[in-house]
Amino acid sequence: MDITKFVVSRRNDALLVGDYGSYRKQLSRRLLVVRRRLGRISPKNRKYAQKAPITAEDVSSNLEFIHLLLLTSERAWAHALHMKSMRSAESTARAITGSTKKHIISRLHKAEAIAAHLVEILKANEQAPAHSRALLEARAYYCMIRGALEFETHKWEKCLEAYSEAHLLYTSFGKSLAVNQGDPFTELLSSTIDPSIRYAAYQLRLPRTLSITRIVSQFYPKDSAFVRGVLEQYPDLLKEGSAIAKAEPDGVTRELPKTISWRKRTLNLEDANIAQALAAVSEAKQKLASTLASSPDMPSKEKGAAYDQVLAPSQDAVDATKTAIDELTADGVAQGDPRMQSLQITRTAVNYALVGWRIGRNRVLCGKHDGAYLDLEIYTKSKRPRKDGTDATLKDESNGKKLARLRERVTLYDTITQSLDSVKELPGVAADQSLMEELESQRAYFTALRCLAIARSHNLLSSSKNALALFARASNILSNPSTSKYPSINRADKLVNIEVTQGQANATRQLLEGLVAQHRALVEIENITAEATKSEKSKAIGAIPMIERLDDYPKNGADLNNLVIYPPKLRPLPVKPLFLDVASTYIEYPGKEKKGQEGLNTVVESGKQKVEEKKEGRKGWFGFGR
């Protein structure tokens, strides 16, 4: 019986589209179905009769009795959280009154009693071993509900004791899973248990630098048989850094970093959450480096997708730093305090690293050499098989697809320049002159690549002059001495990041100089060809006599030797055009009568006679005569 998955899946499905109130209604409908199936429902028009409590024999005969207990406990828990959410500070300005507080506590107490009853039933079940997985999951669920009850009653030590036991049990469950297996326990730890432990530790005035593992090792119940059994199986649960993630396949435990470096400065990490996030970033960097090294011919889109495994923990580090700064601000710590100054520098460092990984992903998506070269080796094969059975011939990529790829690169370059501009707004960056010069050089490098991509698109459209102008613009940007200060990189890994080396800039500059020289020659050839065509056209026009081109003003003077053609030659001349006579019946010709006019006169005369007859027949008002 997978108790945790049963509970988490129902919570996620209900809370995804609704709130705790809708979750409670869904549980009520499901409870009715389960009770009817188990025969524990009162018939209609009958007085309610109290049902016998569920025993271990009932569970042995049918596992749906466990579902019945879990659904009942979850409904009471959802009812309590629904009342609490309706009176929260975000939804209403009214505080939770005494009667509502008592109702919330009574609902949580009912959920705790049902969960404790489930643990006793599974413990008394003869078919289950003493420390079976179902019993341990039921105990962890009971500790989580009990921690919520103690949280509402403000008994912080008991709350930490219950949540610490739940943390140890759920962490051990996560370690027993395979690497590629779904993990519902991490969600419970990150969303419910760990934040509650943090808040309870804050209420007990514990130092903020204590990690979750240190707090758990201090407050977990030493006399619990469940905890002792779990610690015997996983003795490293209480070690620092063991609860960050699931165990590695090689069994190696990563140590948390104690310092962070930024611009030749080294700071001590006093916040455990930031240290855990940075450890996850370091681990993700190693995985990314091994992934890219194992398959160097990986397509650009797959390489860009591989960078997501570094971006997620980097964002977690940024969020952890912001949370630590907000907590110090809420405590009234001044901005000049050393702790606040250290966190501000840490915030700049982690944000700079996050922006760097985003830029690195976009650079990888641009292609090799940051998209400076147009990949002409891409070919497409015809999908239809040939009639003679031979292989279809390879053909070059169409200009439309090339233009589409260049358009994507321009968008990526725009995103990169926007990211570089966002770095300048971080605390302390504007005062660092050398860093600002490096950022300006990197921005100029990507701006030149953007001009290069647009110039290639003009070249595909046979617009050599526009392409030459853009190539020259890109070359001038890179040749500017004020934007030629690039950082020196001495990293062990070769991952693409925000930094641009001097060698990359020099290679791009040489490429642009060659393209400028090439397109200058092309434009010169086009100009010479245009002049030759124009002269030939003027010679052809000059061969026509002056009398036939009187509407054309001679710019270079009239050719008096070519005024007319003499002696005249026999040539075909256009005559007046032929018109079709569509009104032949209405035109009088000599010797023919007008048939149409006579018929028209006859019709008109007969019409006049009828009108006169009608006028004679009517006399006076309404036809009555006088």
Side-chain angles (χ1 to χ4, degrees), residues 341-447:
Q341 292 291 327
S342 177
L343 283 177
Q344 291 289 354
I345 298 174
T346 305
R347 176 189 175 189
T348 302
V350 295
N351 276 280
Y352 182 83
L354 175 62
V355 173
W357 291 117
R358 288 176 179 171
I359 292 175
R361 180 187 60 181
N362 292 334
R363 291 176 66 182
V364 167
L365 290 174
C366 289
K368 297 180 181 180
H369 305 286
D370 295 330
Y373 296 91
L374 188 62
D375 300 330
L376 299 177
E377 67 274 12
I378 300 178
Y379 295 90
T380 56
K381 184 181 289 187
S382 178
K383 297 181 180 180
R384 294 182 180 179
R386 301 187 65 174
K387 294 181 180 180
D388 55 359
T390 59
D391 294 336
T393 57
L394 296 176
K395 59 180 181 180
D396 191 7
E397 189 179 21
S398 62
N399 287 340
K401 292 184 178 180
K402 293 178 183 178
L403 290 172
R405 287 196 291 115
L406 290 172
R407 193 179 299 114
E408 292 176 358
R409 289 182 185 179
V410 171
T411 305
L412 291 173
Y413 294 140
D414 290 337
T415 307
I416 290 173
T417 53
Q418 291 175 6
S419 300
L420 289 172
D421 292 338
S422 66
V423 173
K424 300 176 183 178
E425 300 175 0
L426 295 176
V429 174
D432 195 339
Q433 185 65 27
S434 61
L435 180 58
M436 289 294 292
E437 292 177 356
E438 292 176 3
L439 292 175
E440 289 295 334
S441 301
Q442 292 163 1
R443 194 182 192 283
Y445 174 76
F446 291 109
T447 304

Side-chain angles (χ1 to χ4, degrees), residues 38 54-66 125 127:
L38 296 175
I54 299 174
T55 61
E57 290 77 11
D58 297 332
V59 173
S60 301
S61 61
N62 194 344
L63 290 178
E64 280 198 331
F65 283 99
I66 298 179
N125 192 359
Q127 296 181 1

Side-chain angles (χ1 to χ4, degrees), residues 430-497:
D432 195 339
Q433 185 65 27
S434 61
L435 180 58
M436 289 294 292
E437 292 177 356
E438 292 176 3
L439 292 175
E440 289 295 334
S441 301
Q442 292 163 1
R443 194 182 192 283
Y445 174 76
F446 291 109
T447 304
L449 287 177
R450 182 179 183 273
C451 295
L452 174 60
I454 299 175
R456 289 193 183 278
S457 63
H458 281 284
N459 189 25
L460 290 175
L461 297 175
S462 301
S463 180
S464 300
K465 292 183 179 180
N466 294 337
L468 175 60
L470 288 168
F471 283 136
R473 170 65 176 164
S475 180
N476 293 334
I477 291 175
L478 283 183
S479 301
N480 190 358
S482 61
T483 57
S484 300
K485 298 180 181 180
Y486 300 97
S488 58
I489 303 174
N490 296 322
R491 293 201 315 262
D493 55 17
K494 296 183 179 179
L495 296 177
V496 180
N497 208 324

Side-chain angles (χ1 to χ4, degrees), residues 566-610:
Y566 186 83
K569 299 179 180 179
L570 184 62
R571 292 183 301 168
L573 296 176
V575 297
K576 63 180 181 179
L578 298 177
F579 296 97
L580 297 176
D581 195 353
V582 295
S584 59
T585 57
Y586 300 98
I587 298 175
E588 296 181 2
Y589 291 95
K592 292 185 179 181
E593 298 179 355
K594 290 197 304 179
K595 296 181 180 180
Q597 187 67 24
E598 292 178 359
L600 183 61
N601 295 336
T602 305
V603 173
V604 172
E605 290 177 359
S606 61
K608 289 182 179 180
Q609 291 176 1
K610 290 181 180 180

Side-chain angles (χ1 to χ4, degrees), residues 44-242:
K44 290 184 178 180
N45 302 326
R46 296 280 185 91
K47 187 177 180 180
Y48 171 74
Q50 183 71 27
K51 301 298 179 182
I54 299 174
T55 61
E57 290 77 11
D58 297 332
V59 173
S60 301
S61 61
N62 194 344
L63 290 178
E64 280 198 331
F65 283 99
I66 298 179
H67 292 175
L68 180 61
L69 291 173
L70 287 174
L71 291 172
T72 308
S73 176
E74 278 290 290
R75 186 177 65 168
W77 174 83
H79 190 189
L81 289 193
H82 176 62
M83 289 187 292
K84 185 178 179 181
S85 64
M86 293 299 293
R87 294 297 183 91
S88 64
E90 297 178 357
S91 58
T92 180
R94 295 180 298 173
I96 298 179
T97 58
S99 59
T100 307
K101 188 73 173 179
K102 290 180 181 179
H103 198 182
I104 292 173
I105 294 174
S106 68
R107 293 296 89 193
L108 290 175
H109 182 73
K110 178 181 179 180
E112 182 212 9
I114 296 172
H117 182 53
L118 175 60
V119 174
E120 295 298 328
I121 289 174
L122 293 177
K123 190 184 298 184
N125 192 359
E126 297 179 356
Q127 296 181 1
H131 294 286
S132 64
R133 180 62 177 267
L135 177 59
L136 290 176
E137 290 194 19
R139 177 68 181 182
Y141 177 73
Y142 161 73
C143 292
M144 185 172 60
I145 298 297
R146 178 170 167 263
L149 175 62
E150 302 296 348
F151 190 94
E152 292 299 325
T153 55
H154 295 176
K155 298 177 181 178
W156 304 116
E157 291 186 2
K158 293 183 179 181
C159 174
L160 277 178
E161 182 180 343
Y163 274 129
S164 297
E165 185 176 356
H167 179 91
L168 288 175
L169 293 175
Y170 281 126
T171 305
S172 65
F173 299 155
K175 286 181 174 294
S176 63
L177 293 176
V179 177
N180 57 352
Q181 190 175 352
D183 187 1
F185 313 109
T186 304
E187 182 177 356
L188 278 177
L189 289 172
S190 61
S191 62
T192 304
I193 297 176
D194 289 353
S196 302
I197 291 176
R198 278 290 177 194
Y199 187 80
Y202 171 76
Q203 292 294 334
L204 290 176
R205 300 293 190 272
L206 296 179
R208 297 178 184 271
T209 57
L210 289 179
S211 63
I212 296 292
T213 306
R214 292 278 300 278
I215 298 173
V216 169
S217 63
Q218 184 178 351
F219 286 93
Y220 78 94
K222 311 300 190 293
D223 57 346
S224 175
F226 300 97
V227 176
R228 287 199 301 269
V230 168
L231 290 178
E232 290 176 1
Q233 187 177 2
Y234 301 101
D236 60 338
L237 276 181
L238 296 178
K239 291 182 180 180
E240 195 72 23
S242 62

